[in-house]
Amino acid sequence: MKRFTILFLSLLVVASMALAACQPKATPAVEEPTEEVVVEEPTEEPTEEPTEEPTEVVVEDVPLVVAYTEFSQKFSPYYSESAYDADVAAMTQIGLLTMDRVAGIVNNAIEGETREYNGTPYLYTGPADTSVVYDEATDTTKYTAKLREDLVFSDGTPVTADDIIFTYYTFLDPSYIGTTSLASYDIVGLKDYQTQTTSDVYTKYGEMFDAIFAAGADHEWSEADGWTQEQQDDMWARWNAEVAAATQSITDYVMANYLDDYAEAVLGKTPDEIKANEGLQQALAIALWSYGTYDLEAEEPVLITACTEETFDLVETFPTVEDQAESLVCYYEGDAQAAMANETPDGWDVSGNVKTAFIGYWGPLDEGMGEGGVPNIAGIKKLDDYTVEVTVNGFSAPAVYSILGIQVTPLHYYGDVAKYDYENNMFGFDFGDLSKQESLIPTPLGAGAYKFVKYENKVVYFEANENYYKGAPKIKEIQFRETESDEVPSAVKTGTADAGEMTYSAERYAEVQSYNSNGEMSGDVITASMVDNLGYGYIGINADTVNVAGDPGSDASKNLRKGIATIIAVHRDLAIDSYYGEGASVINYPISNTSWAAPQPTDEGYQVAYSVDVNGEPLYTADMTLEDKVAAAEAAALGFFEAAGFTVTDGVLTAAPAGAKLTYEAFVPADGTGDHPNFAIFTSTQESLAKLGMEFTINDPADWNVMLDAIDANAQEIWTMAWGSTPDPDMYQIYYSTNIPGGEGTGSNYYHVQDPELDQLIMDARLSEDQNYRKAIYKQALDVLMDWAVEVPSYQRQNVIIFSTERINIDTITPDITTFWGWMNDLELLEMR
């Protein structure tokens, strides 16, 4: 669910090299869907081989066939939208940024850095050295990338700083309409360049935009206004068009990622029927993503939009993108900016985009501009033939994944060399005209390990790049073949495919195990690589509705929540194991195990979640049975409740303190059927709390919008969802005090944590690039958060990549695959049998 997903541009680094599976907003059974990743700037992940001259190898004629979800043929490093299209582009590209197996940045990638993972040292090398330097005096940050000097694109053309400059200017051109949000960073001089105005003129028309917006869409213009009628009409026309475009991005995302799996389940239509009807496409997005409802069981089902409550029979009447936009804006009480920022896959900034476009049109027409405009982006500089520097106002630790997380695209292919002259402010294309880049969307070219050949009959064909800087790949040809997700195991078994991602289901696990003679996930027919998903499941407790005396941060309130959390935590192991088996594990801190900042059992101070009593004494010993642990947790919970001010008589709660209750409600989005990994935790918690005299009611609505509505209204007490994660563990969006719903920030702090100490720790971590320092700070922040007892970490599920043991030389697959280090790393070393 997009409202419950952390979205940062850094996701591009993860999804670009993984066979990623997306789950939509309305996933009824496993967990709330996390937004996967409309990939913004996929980059090549690092490899562990030392920097050497490419060695001559004998390539193999047997192709590697990889099962893939349907492509949209947007195979562009600029314009790919789905993770699958982005993977195609990434096969052909190299990126500036190099990361290790836990998403740590390798700054000295040309010479390489050795880092240990799981006790094994690995040497990580890459195409460029990078650095991030913050200047406190000027409050600016310089991001620098220096390329290896021996890099060439697959056609033999050298890779230089000019290609980096061209790439930046493409992404930052005002006409760029791809998925990256690189332009959202405050690069010095960017807004002046995009709007072709000086700072003074920019400010003038920015204030004019603000005034027109404040006056409202229904304002009747008069000569007393500080703008013309034409300017007013133009601003609102741009606004309406931007809202429609933002809404269409939701529909496009749903169509690209969820059509095959949810077309019939949600609308009772086939994917082909929906593809052929624009109204059905909008209907699917409304029902699956934008809060509308469609009851397939009704005698005459109709689609009902949220808030506006318009109805469409999907036979003769169909919704338009404007209908969906109107419904979403209505749902957000008329706030289109908030609606699109929260609901679109990329957090669409309607106000910022329209303001920039408005200034970009009217600013250059101002009499104060004169001739010439703004020739360049002042903060982007070519230092030498292989080095580029980007200067940004302020500092934010996560920004490096976006600013340096670009692929280096060839100027001579995507641009016009005759139009490039850095010294004379020519950057490979005419300002505002990206037609050349757009024309090459289906046919990528770069300096990656493979060359794109063609897309034909639902298969993408690649051939080895003999100019690849790490050496020509051993496998001469690779094919990405479109395959239904539930057919991947049988495809690998029968030879239709040699590898592919297998999304979770107990049936598919059992199928793989049945193919192997040893009955395991890895054997003589199939070898499985199981890696943690980029996110985790949790159970939340709202501090604003579960407290004592209306004071969420008091010791009494924390003890109330700790009592409930202690019971929830003890029931996790059995429930998660029963639901997922080896497909997931219990976690003890509210952070994905994929993060380098996640506390590890070997770390000092590591503790099982809610495993101490009110006096801080451990509850469990190694020889305890589950029954013993539950009894200990129940006794500890009673101690927490008593410390919170509850009256306890003969071991039972008989009265609650002011503001607290003897009954609490827990939401679980299990489609009314109980099919959710945390449902069993809730039923066991219900039984335990009943023994103590507290009622724990479970609300499993058939329509999980009931739960979402409660969360929006700050009416939820306890609920379960999952967070999507990113390579950077920034905690600001979810836990910073101003980000509570209705506050001045993101509105995604659903726990209603407001703690000055936590806020300071979050900001301290943001303002440092020292990973060891940040990890220590985040551990302190996590401890503060756990003390608030507003989140019980539940499970870390896994994604599975399967390989044919019979046809692939398994020993040549990159070792120690992680969420951030996919099987495509070291792809040039992979061999077929």
Side-chain angles (χ1 to χ4, degrees), residues 163-390:
D163 297 294
I164 301 177
I165 294 291
F166 165 75
T167 302
Y168 275 127
Y169 272 87
T170 294
F171 279 125
L172 298 173
D173 190 82
S175 68
Y176 174 75
I177 55 172
T179 54
T180 180
S181 297
L182 181 63
S184 66
Y185 288 92
D186 192 10
I187 299 172
V188 172
L190 174 60
K191 294 304 180 185
D192 291 356
Y193 174 77
Q194 288 185 322
T195 59
Q196 287 298 294
T197 65
T198 62
S199 296
D200 289 343
V201 172
Y202 183 92
T203 299
K204 172 183 176 180
Y205 286 92
E207 291 175 349
M208 182 183 294
F209 168 88
D210 293 339
I212 295 173
F213 182 78
D218 297 330
H219 173 72
E220 292 188 12
W221 181 82
S222 72
E223 292 185 358
D225 291 325
W227 58 85
T228 67
Q229 176 78 62
E230 184 182 7
Q231 288 168 333
Q232 176 174 300
D233 293 344
D234 176 68
M235 198 287 282
W236 286 113
R238 293 177 187 276
W239 182 271
N240 293 333
E242 190 73 14
V243 170
T247 305
Q248 184 62 43
S249 77
I250 296 174
T251 302
D252 293 343
Y253 187 80
V254 169
M255 289 293 294
N257 294 282
Y258 310 138
L259 176 65
D260 289 341
D261 290 337
Y262 291 91
E264 297 200 18
V266 174
L267 294 185
K269 308 288 185 182
T270 68
D272 286 341
E273 286 177 313
I274 294 177
K275 285 180 182 178
N277 187 312
E278 185 176 344
L280 287 178
Q281 294 173 26
Q282 302 298 337
L284 181 64
I286 290 169
L288 191 60
W289 193 278
S290 298
Y291 308 102
T293 58
Y294 187 75
D295 184 2
L296 275 174
E297 302 301 321
E299 185 175 344
E300 295 183 358
V302 294
L303 176 74
I304 305 175
T305 59
C307 189
T308 53
E309 298 185 346
E310 291 186 87
T311 61
F312 304 91
D313 62 17
L314 305 188
V315 178
E316 295 183 354
T317 59
F318 301 90
T320 64
V321 67
E322 288 79 15
D323 293 322
Q324 185 183 178
E326 185 180 3
S327 172
L328 279 175
V329 173
C330 175
Y331 189 87
Y332 277 78
E333 299 180 345
D335 189 342
Q337 171 67 15
M340 299 307 151
N342 287 322
E343 301 299 339
T344 57
D346 297 316
W348 203 294
D349 182 8
V350 172
S351 181
N353 292 345
V354 176
K355 187 173 187 176
T356 297
F358 179 82
I359 298 171
Y361 179 78
W362 292 102
L365 300 178
D366 189 272
E367 60 183 13
M369 279 303 299
E371 299 292 333
V374 179
N376 58 44
I377 302 171
I380 297 180
K381 295 185 181 298
K382 173 182 170 183
L383 301 187
D384 60 41
D385 288 344
Y386 298 97
T387 310
V388 171
E389 176 187 88
V390 179

Side-chain angles (χ1 to χ4, degrees), residues 541 543 546-547 552 557-566 788-790:
I541 305 177
V546 183
N547 61 59
S557 294
K558 292 177 181 178
N559 283 327
L560 162 59
R561 296 191 293 270
K562 286 177 183 176
I564 298 173
T566 299
W788 269 74
V790 291

